[in-house]
Amino acid sequence: MAKFAVDAVLDGSLDVIATATKLIVCSAQPTTYTEANATYALADVVIDGTDFTKANGDTSGRKVTIGAQTGVLIDTSGTATHVALVITGSSTLLYGTTCTSQALTANGSNTVNVPAFDIEIADPA
């Protein structure tokens, strides 16, 4: 018998991701909220539900697209290698992913752009 999950099952996980309140550019892969928000943080921007769009996945299942963020002020110099999504109110690290490695320099006015990216959950196989 084939496996099946209604879109609402997959959307449940994506709905949790869409509760993120901050996107943080990091210098390493964070595994805790403190690492994302302080230890490895290079730049951050406040986000909300309007920054997330759910749709059918590119290959199967469902995805949520996190909208592009432009002109994000660089707070700390370092090499960006990851992006994290967190909930600041509950100090929760929700999701982390890699990004194109880029040297960032903080000088009070330098900014970084974060392109839109997808998080996809495939249909059961």
Side-chain angles (χ1 to χ4, degrees), residues 2 8-9 12 33 41 47 55 59 61 65 68 71 78 82-83 91 111 125:
V9 171
Y33 175 83
I47 57 176
T59 55
T65 300
H82 289 77
V83 174
S91 300
T111 61

Side-chain angles (χ1 to χ4, degrees), residues 25-47:
V25 178
C26 298
S27 61
Q29 179 181 0
T31 58
T32 66
Y33 175 83
T34 299
E35 287 178 350
N37 197 50
T39 309
Y40 303 137
L42 301 176
D44 61 79
V45 62
V46 173
I47 57 176

Side-chain angles (χ1 to χ4, degrees), residues 13 19 22 44-45 52 57 63 71 78 93 97 108-110 112 117 119-120:
S13 293
T19 65
K22 190 190 291 187
D44 61 79
V45 62
F52 299 89
K63 69 179 178 181
L93 171 62
T97 188
S109 62
N110 281 352
V112 62
F117 63 96
I119 300 170
E120 188 165 334

Side-chain angles (χ1 to χ4, degrees), residues 81-95:
T81 60
H82 289 77
V83 174
L85 299 175
V86 303
I87 302 173
T88 55
S90 62
S91 300
T92 303
L93 171 62
L94 289 174
Y95 190 84

